[in-house]
């Protein structure tokens, strides 16, 4: 069932109304972003904007390209400087033989590795928080080629304290309970969460490096999040067993690189996917207000200017301050009666990963966390074998491949 709002297309003077101009531009952008549930219908001097309350669309290629262009805008000089500090030969062409891929997982421990990592993550369309507590930068190298090459990057960091999808997946009890009309702490639930979160990490970056973004290589990098080099390092540095990881697919209801990685141990024998889709009380949504077109933002300001209940000067910096622009967009939506939730670009996928059902179950009790399963990582060879079993390209030899210069994509 769709929901809708009705907009008058003419103002009292007979001119096209600012509200209809805003809604028309908004609907156009949302359709471009991949919202196939959005509809705009004109009837006489009325316009009907309709949408589904159950947003399940994936972000379109146009949306992802817009996000990447926005991220790299004004960064050409910065990226050129970073490229000059990369190891010699980093951009030299080489012959990539997929049959010889041999991953090595390396924790960034020196400035050179950190420079490579910091440069690579500029190629991710959704910015990553690389200053979070327990932040651990990882590079994946390929030792199977004629020269050692970077094939991917991983970032592990502390998870969110509140995460409805994760909490439901782990069957954690509520932090507060109602006793009569009084809201009281559930101290046992708080103690469990505080302890369990020390054994959970969030995957903030999981990406391939060009030219390795082919033939499902992202799945191999995702499997390597639980590589022994990573798990052993985290446990040695922070003193707690690594029992699970969370992550998201920011551009859609699923993230293909985390799906169907059948390397985790199932209780009772056999294998199951390493990462499982998780679900909260209602879908998480992506609201990239900064990616709406100039037509949308200009129309939003016109809606505000024509309304005598809002001070226009509060939005004077909308063209230069992203926070002001976001406030102006929300204010225009409120004035024309469009719910903010209807303006999401796409839904967001949530995942929880563990190497076994035993590790997942351990997170459900303090006793389980304090006596964790002995196996908490996935051997690199296992991850590679699983990848090879799924991807058998006809041509495994890619001649004259090279890393991409991000500065050429920036402005």
């Amino acid at each position: 069932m769709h929901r809708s709002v009705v907009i008058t297309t003419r103002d009292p003077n007979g001119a096209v109304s600012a509200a209809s101009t805003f809604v028309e531009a908004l609907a156009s952008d949302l359709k471009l972003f991949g919202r196939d549930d959005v509809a705009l219908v004109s009837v006489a001097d009325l316009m009907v904007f309709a949408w589904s309350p159950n947003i399940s669309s994936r972000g379109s290629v146009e949306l992802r390209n817009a996000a990447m262009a926005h991220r790299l805008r004004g960064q050409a000089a910065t990226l050129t400087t970073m490229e000059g500090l990369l190891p010699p030969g980093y951009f030299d062409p080489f012959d990539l033989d997929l049959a010889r891929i041999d991953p090595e997982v390396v924790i960034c421990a020196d400035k050179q590795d950190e420079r490579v990592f910091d440069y690579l993550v500029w190629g991710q369309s959704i910015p990553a928080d690389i200053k979070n507590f327990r932040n651990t930068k990882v590079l994946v190298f390929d030792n199977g080629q004629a020269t050692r090459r970077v094939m991917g990057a991983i970032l592990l960091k502390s998870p969110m304290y509140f995460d409805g999808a994760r909490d439901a997946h782990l069957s954690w009890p509520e932090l507060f309970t109602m006793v009569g009309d009084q809201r009281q702490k559930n101290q046992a639930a708080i103690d469990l969460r505080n302890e369990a979160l020390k054994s959970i990490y969030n995957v903030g970056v999981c990406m391939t490096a060009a030219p390795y973004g082919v033939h499902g290589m992202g799945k191999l990098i995702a499997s390597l999040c639980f590589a022994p080099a990573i798990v052993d390092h985290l446990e040695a540095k922070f003193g707690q067993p690594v029992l699970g990881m969370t992550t998201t697919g920011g551009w859609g209801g699923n993230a293909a690189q985390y799906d169907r990685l059948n390397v985790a141990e199932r209780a009772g024998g056999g294998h199951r996917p390493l990462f499982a889709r998780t679900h909260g009380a209602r879908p998480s949504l992506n609201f990239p207000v900064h990616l709406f077109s100039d037509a949308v933002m200009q129309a939003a300001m016109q809606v505000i200017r024509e309304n005598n209940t809002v001070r226009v000067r509060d939005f004077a910096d909308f063209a230069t301050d992203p926070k002001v622009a976001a406030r102006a967009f929300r204010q225009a939506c409120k004035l024309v009666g469009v719910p903010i939730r209807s303006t999401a670009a796409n839904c967001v996928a949530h995942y929880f990963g563990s190497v076994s059902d035993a590790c997942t179950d351990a997170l459900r009790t303090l006793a389980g966390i304090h006596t964790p399963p002995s196996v908490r990582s996935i051997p690199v060879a296992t991850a590679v074998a699983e990848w090879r079993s799924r991807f058998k390209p006809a041509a495994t030899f890619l001649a004259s491949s090279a890393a991409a210069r991000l500065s050429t994509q920036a402005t």
Side-chain angles (χ1 to χ4, degrees):
M1 181 180 293
H2 276 57
R3 295 180 182 173
S4 62
V5 294
V6 179
I7 308 295
T8 301
T9 60
R10 297 289 172 180
D11 65 16
N13 297 319
V16 176
S17 69
S20 66
T21 300
F22 172 68
V23 170
E24 188 171 11
L26 174 63
S28 178
D29 276 16
L30 290 175
K31 290 178 180 179
L32 185 66
F33 290 169
R35 287 284 303 280
D36 54 10
D37 62 297
V38 168
L40 197 65
V41 180
S42 294
V43 180
D45 289 338
L46 299 177
M47 177 183 290
V48 180
F49 174 61
W51 70 93
S52 170
N54 301 314
I55 299 171
S56 59
S57 57
R58 294 175 54 84
S60 66
V61 172
E62 289 81 3
L63 176 63
R64 299 182 190 206
N65 290 342
M68 195 71 238
H70 182 273
R71 180 155 164 71
L72 297 181
R73 188 174 301 148
Q75 301 299 329
T78 297
L79 291 169
T80 299
T81 299
M82 295 178 76
E83 288 165 357
L85 297 174
L86 296 175
Y90 184 87
F91 295 104
D92 289 352
F94 69 102
D95 296 332
L96 173 56
D97 188 347
L98 298 177
R100 297 182 57 186
I101 282 178
D102 180 17
E104 177 190 5
V105 179
V106 176
I107 308 298
C108 293
D110 57 42
K111 287 187 177 180
Q112 179 169 286
D113 284 349
E114 289 224 359
R115 287 188 188 119
V116 173
F117 180 93
D118 292 345
Y119 176 74
L120 280 178
V121 296
W122 274 102
Q124 182 170 272
S125 56
I126 299 178
D129 177 6
I130 59 174
K131 297 181 180 179
N132 193 286
F133 181 60
R134 295 196 301 176
N135 200 326
T136 302
K137 300 176 181 178
V138 180
L139 290 176
V140 181
F141 292 91
D142 179 9
N143 289 328
Q145 310 307 313
T147 57
R148 187 175 186 241
R149 296 285 175 164
V150 179
M151 61 184 294
I154 297 169
L155 174 74
L156 285 309
K157 59 182 182 177
S158 293
M160 295 187 296
Y161 192 79
F162 297 103
D163 182 339
R166 174 202 65 205
D167 300 351
H169 182 73
L170 292 173
S171 303
W172 282 353
E174 296 291 337
L175 297 181
F176 297 91
T177 57
M178 295 300 295
V179 178
D181 60 352
Q182 297 294 314
R183 185 169 180 261
Q184 296 185 0
K185 287 183 180 180
N186 182 344
Q187 193 58 51
I190 293 173
D191 292 343
L192 172 60
R193 181 183 300 248
N194 290 345
E195 191 69 13
L197 290 180
K198 298 175 185 177
S199 291
I200 298 175
Y201 289 81
N202 178 253
V203 182
V205 172
C206 183
M207 61 183 293
T208 58
Y212 285 87
V214 295
H215 300 304
M217 201 75 69
K219 286 182 173 289
L220 175 55
I221 302 298
S223 294
L224 295 176
C225 288
F226 283 95
I230 294 177
V231 173
D232 292 348
H233 170 81
L234 295 175
E235 294 186 345
K237 184 172 182 178
F238 300 111
Q240 298 290 334
V242 176
L243 297 174
M245 294 186 186
T246 59
T247 192
T248 56
W251 295 123
N254 70 314
Q257 73 182 110
Y258 298 112
D259 288 333
R260 297 184 298 279
L261 302 173
N262 292 318
V263 292
E265 295 294 329
R266 190 186 300 278
H271 291 89
R272 63 153 175 84
L274 182 61
F275 289 91
R277 283 286 307 279
T278 58
H279 305 276
R282 63 176 182 171
S284 298
L285 301 175
N286 177 31
F287 296 91
V289 176
H290 61 290
L291 299 182
F292 280 116
S293 65
D294 187 59
V296 168
M297 301 313 298
Q298 292 292 344
M301 280 305 301
Q302 191 58 33
V303 169
I304 292 171
R305 292 187 190 101
E306 293 186 6
N307 188 283
N308 58 16
T309 66
V310 181
R311 295 189 305 181
V312 178
R313 65 175 180 270
D314 290 346
F315 304 96
D317 297 329
F318 87 99
T320 56
D321 188 332
K323 291 183 179 180
V324 176
R327 283 198 295 111
F329 175 80
R330 290 192 294 270
Q331 183 65 67
C333 286
K334 181 178 180 181
L335 291 173
V336 302
V338 172
I340 288 296
R341 195 167 177 84
S342 72
T343 68
N346 58 271
C347 60
V348 175
H350 294 269
Y351 289 85
F352 181 85
S354 66
V355 304
S356 66
D357 287 347
C359 283
T360 300
D361 290 341
L363 286 164
R364 295 185 168 120
T365 65
L366 288 174
I369 297 168
H370 295 152
T371 55
S374 58
V375 177
R376 299 186 292 276
S377 60
I378 300 292
V380 171
T382 299
V384 173
E386 205 278 341
W387 170 71
R388 292 196 188 284
S389 71
R390 291 182 176 277
F391 296 93
K392 300 175 181 178
T396 63
F397 191 78
L398 306 177
S400 297
S401 301
R405 286 186 181 272
L406 295 174
S407 61
T408 62
Q409 303 173 37
T411 57

